[in-house]
Amino acid sequence: MQRQSMVYFYGAAGSVTGSNFLLDTGASKTLIDCGLFQGKSAGEESNWAEFPFDPKAIPVLINTHAHIDHIGRIPLLVKRGFKGRIISTEATRALAEPLLLDSMGLLKHEAEIHGREQLYDEEDIAAALALWEGIPYHRAVDLGDGVSVELLDAGHILGSAMAKFTRESSNIVFTGDLGGGNSPLLPKIEDLTDAQYLVMESVYGNRTRPPEESHHRDMLENVIEESIARGGTLLIPAFSTERTQDLLFEIRTLMIEKRIPSVPVFIDSPLAEKMTAAFLAYPQYFAEDIQKRIKAGEQIFSFPEMHIVANNDASRRMDDTKGAKIILAGSGMSNGGRV
């Protein structure tokens, strides 16, 4: 007789952020993601609410990727008594630490404004990382109760994964966020052909994304050329994770190929510097052609025109650089960052 399982939706259902699902297989419970609710500010009241389940009773948390709306409440989960396994890809674990520390600073500031206790601190983050294990794609992990989980490439950000749970002849897949095929660095989303049940993101469900073509780079080239021709500053708000690395790679390529003039390119985001280092620590998650270039010794994010802006004083001194320039500035979720 087939045993029944239940799925409970505690976030990112009817809304975009705060991903948090619970898979109850009868004898065991598994969380999928435990993300921050993000709205007008980092201090969304729902982030301080108690979990609708007992964190102490959960043996496993599967994390699909490192964006804060998927990992941002994990330290709180641990603070509330979770002592189980946290499983993701190796790249996701590496990206999570600097992102959680950065988010903690924003949350602390919001807590002070609203008179709340700090959501979590460095010790809670360290405790979460001590429980966190990274695994490669396609390695089946036994979760007990006859259930195993396997991570598949979601193509969203470095190390992002779909989580496929299997028991006997049945399976269910939680996609996490899915890649649109627009990153020059990542493989395409992995083909999924045998899912019996699918819990899928639908943020872009009402629109058709343009196919990947060279015009993405052409559009960037045109914008840069127009700005440089005016002698202006091109200010690009960019997420510190994935978007900044994509843009660095594209701008570097355009300059190497002499498609745009050589001008200073400032990376005004301390977090982006940490994230770029984490990217390079796990080259096996890049697309195959990028892996080959890295193995051949190419520095895919470095070029003479690039300058890392180390602190606020250096950020203000960018004005002293006369003439045309490009600035990639951290943007958070429109509620933080240097931009």
Side-chain angles (χ1 to χ4, degrees), residues 154-225:
H156 177 55
I157 65 171
L158 196 78
S160 60
M162 299 179 278
K164 180 181 179 181
F165 295 87
T166 301
R167 181 166 65 183
E168 298 174 354
S169 60
S170 297
N171 70 63
I172 182 171
V173 178
F174 294 80
T175 68
D177 290 350
L178 298 172
N182 298 316
S183 171
L185 302 173
L186 300 181
K188 298 289 192 301
I189 182 173
E190 189 167 339
D191 287 339
L192 185 65
T193 59
D194 63 344
Q196 293 173 317
Y197 300 94
L198 187 66
V199 179
M200 179 179 176
E201 73 132 329
S202 58
V203 175
Y204 296 100
N206 65 343
R207 70 187 73 175
T208 301
R209 286 185 171 186
E212 183 189 16
E213 296 175 1
S214 61
H215 75 261
H216 295 294
R217 186 173 292 167
D218 294 340
M219 290 171 63
L220 178 63
E221 177 184 0
N222 292 338
V223 170
I224 292 174
E225 286 180 334

Side-chain angles (χ1 to χ4, degrees), residues 102-143:
D102 181 74
S103 180
M104 182 194 70
L106 289 172
L107 290 166
K108 182 179 180 180
H109 177 67
E110 291 290 338
E112 291 170 351
I113 291 175
H114 297 287
R116 302 189 185 110
E117 73 165 316
Q118 187 174 345
L119 198 62
Y120 50 78
D121 58 22
E122 291 94 336
E123 290 186 3
D124 300 314
I125 294 174
L129 291 168
L131 301 172
W132 205 314
E133 55 191 277
I135 63 171
Y137 294 128
H138 305 298
R139 176 185 291 174
V141 177
D142 183 9
L143 302 180

